[in-house]
Amino acid sequence: MDISSLDIAEDRVRSVAPARAQERIASIDLMRGIVMIIMAIDHVRDFFNPFADPTDLSKASAGLFLTRWITHFCAPTFVFLAGTSAYLYARNSGVSRGHLQRFLVTRGLWLVLLELTVISFSWRFDFNGLVLQVIWALGWSMVCLALLLYLPLPVMLGFGAALVFGHNLFDGWHFKDFAEQGQAWGWLWAVLHESHFATLPSGYQVFLLYPLVPWVGVMALGYGFGELLQLPRQRRERWMMGLGLGAIALFLLLRLSNVYGDAQLWVDNPRGTLYTALGLLNVSKYPPSLQYLLMTLGPVLLLLPLLERWHGGLARRITVFGRVPFFFYLLHLPLIHLGSLIAVRLVYGVTLPLVGGSPPPGYEPSLLRVYVVWALVILMLYPLCRWYADYKARHKEQWWLSYL
């Protein structure tokens, strides 16, 4: 999925690109739609049913852990396919490098602005702090990709691979080490490589959840992936299967050996074999470790060839969300947040957010409730997303649509 607004560029490409390119873009839209729907599960869990840490396998149930784990696929897919979309836009529409760079910079900075304002407010419903997450990382990664376009493609791919495969070498460096040399250095390191939460002297809170270094590498590799999509169908499918299986195999090798690629080692769990096995999947997202990226992008590469063959009513409905992913993202956060406040008021008689606060007396978390509310959110958003997707398709000449 590409919530960077490059989806509108791809709409334009469809009118001039050959049939083979259109087919590939359709599969990418379908993948975007799938991960958008999955993403909403986690946000419903955040706002409606806060549990203890779902990744703490000393306490969390298998169902809760897997409910959280499946959503790990979303952010890497967002960022990777944003790079792919940039490549396809440039290749199939024939725009110059300078045009593509301006496109990436303006859209990237627009995303950052929305993260600092509308999206951060949607998470908190106040202006007393910032929550910098995937849109922040997407925006700045697009700006960085614009700069990387000055490099030959093989060099860009080498740089992206170095960031993805090598950034865990710096796991031993922490915010406090740099902060001792000056607060600005500490914050620079947090922006680049280490998640950080801080309350400033004024009381203003900053939660920097998505450091940039690994995500810039993921987007650069996604851009290079667009070159692979120019191959004939059978060849590109063999490449995707080989890369996907290779990524999964490398993940298992690194995870089982505990040699490199994640600060959280795999160990036996005293709760038994099931939880020891789940520990294989319990890798670090903030920042995304090499093992995390291999674990998520490997299956995505395997799934893409299958999505090219998936047709029918359900696929078309899921694709609707993939055609307008950023529109979906902007709507779903305030809808879920507001809905949780209304539900707490109706059920418990108090106006109190469940997320980030103490739950009201009598509150009990429920995975069933998570999935019921999630299904309702998807059903509510579908007609709005379908209307907007149709509107975009009818009004490709409207420049402002590329920002939403």
Side-chain angles (χ1 to χ4, degrees):
M1 179 228 117
D2 174 8
I3 46 185
S4 63
S5 300
L6 281 167
D7 47 296
I8 185 64
E10 291 186 6
D11 287 340
R12 297 185 184 121
V13 167
R14 289 188 182 92
S15 64
V16 297
R20 183 163 59 87
Q22 293 181 41
E23 177 185 38
R24 293 197 305 269
I25 293 172
S27 69
I28 290 175
D29 280 343
L30 184 52
M31 175 64 77
R32 292 170 176 162
I34 291 170
V35 296
M36 291 305 300
I37 292 171
I38 291 173
M39 175 196 65
I41 298 174
D42 202 41
H43 297 160
V44 169
R45 180 188 59 80
D46 282 334
F47 284 106
F48 271 84
N49 295 272
F51 293 79
D53 182 2
T55 64
D56 181 0
L57 286 174
S58 68
K59 300 176 183 177
S61 68
L64 175 58
F65 173 81
L66 291 172
T67 296
R68 170 57 174 156
W69 177 79
I70 191 65
T71 66
H72 283 335
F73 287 84
C74 301
T77 308
F78 295 167
V79 179
F80 186 80
L81 292 183
T84 304
S85 296
Y87 179 93
L88 294 175
Y89 172 48
R91 179 64 176 262
N92 295 329
S93 62
V95 299
S96 66
R97 182 183 68 187
H99 178 94
L100 178 59
Q101 288 173 314
R102 289 189 295 273
F103 187 93
L104 289 168
V105 170
T106 55
R107 272 58 176 185
L109 293 178
W110 172 242
L111 290 177
V112 171
L113 176 62
L114 288 177
E115 181 76 282
L116 294 174
T117 54
V118 175
I119 298 171
S120 191
F121 177 80
S122 296
W123 278 104
R124 301 171 58 96
F125 277 0
D126 64 46
F127 291 103
N128 296 322
L130 289 175
V131 184
L132 305 177
Q133 300 194 64
V134 64
I135 305 300
W136 162 270
L138 266 173
W140 286 118
S141 294
M142 291 175 69
V143 173
C144 292
L145 180 61
L147 297 176
L148 292 175
L149 289 176
Y150 285 112
L151 302 175
L153 183 59
V155 177
M156 180 196 295
L157 288 175
F159 179 77
L163 294 183
V164 168
F165 284 84
H167 79 93
N168 285 118
L169 293 170
F170 301 94
D171 285 346
W173 297 12
H174 300 290
F175 177 91
K176 61 182 180 61
D177 301 323
F178 291 91
E180 291 172 357
Q181 305 172 29
Q183 193 71 16
W185 289 108
W187 277 107
L188 177 60
W189 183 245
V191 168
L192 293 176
H193 196 262
E194 185 180 34
S195 298
H196 187 67
F197 173 80
T199 300
L200 304 183
S202 63
Y204 194 79
Q205 296 178 324
V206 179
F207 195 0
L208 205 164
L209 202 56
Y210 275 68
L212 300 183
V213 166
W215 297 114
V216 172
V218 171
M219 184 171 287
L221 294 178
Y223 185 89
F225 180 69
E227 181 78 12
L228 185 151
L229 294 182
Q230 304 305 306
L231 298 175
R233 179 169 182 164
Q234 290 187 343
R235 286 188 62 194
R236 72 174 184 264
E237 288 188 356
R238 287 197 298 269
W239 269 100
M240 284 189 276
M241 294 292 289
L243 290 172
L245 290 172
I248 293 171
L250 181 56
F251 162 71
L252 291 173
L253 176 64
L254 293 174
R255 192 67 181 151
L256 291 170
S257 65
N258 281 332
V259 172
Y260 175 74
D262 199 281
Q264 185 168 261
L265 301 181
W266 178 57
V267 296
D268 287 336
N269 192 309
R271 298 177 72 187
T273 302
L274 172 61
Y275 289 93
T276 297
L278 291 177
L280 277 173
L281 308 177
N282 196 18
V283 291
S284 304
K285 181 179 180 179
Y286 307 113
S289 68
L290 171 60
Q291 291 182 22
Y292 172 91
L293 294 171
L294 293 170
M295 177 189 74
T296 52
L297 290 176
V300 167
L301 292 172
L302 290 179
L303 185 57
L304 276 172
L306 301 178
L307 295 184
E308 291 192 3
R309 297 177 172 83
W310 187 19
H311 307 287
L314 180 58
R316 288 194 299 272
R317 287 173 174 82
I318 294 174
T319 298
V320 166
F321 296 111
R323 290 172 59 197
V324 290
F326 192 46
F327 182 76
F328 176 97
Y329 192 92
L330 288 176
L331 289 183
H332 92 290
L333 281 176
L335 174 64
I336 295 171
H337 193 168
L338 181 61
S340 71
L341 295 177
I342 294 173
V344 170
R345 182 67 182 179
L346 292 176
V347 175
Y348 299 102
V350 295
T351 303
L352 179 73
L354 291 178
V355 63
S358 300
Y363 166 79
E364 290 291 339
S366 166
L367 273 181
L368 176 60
R369 189 161 62 240
V370 169
Y371 284 97
V372 169
V373 174
W374 166 65
L376 291 174
V377 167
I378 299 303
L379 290 174
M380 291 174 66
L381 289 178
Y382 177 77
L384 293 173
C385 290
R386 181 172 180 176
W387 166 80
Y388 188 59
D390 291 342
Y391 183 85
K392 286 174 65 176
R394 295 194 307 269
H395 299 280
K396 296 184 179 70
E397 75 286 353
Q398 300 291 334
W399 64 267
W400 60 270
L401 290 173
S402 63
Y403 289 87
L404 291 175

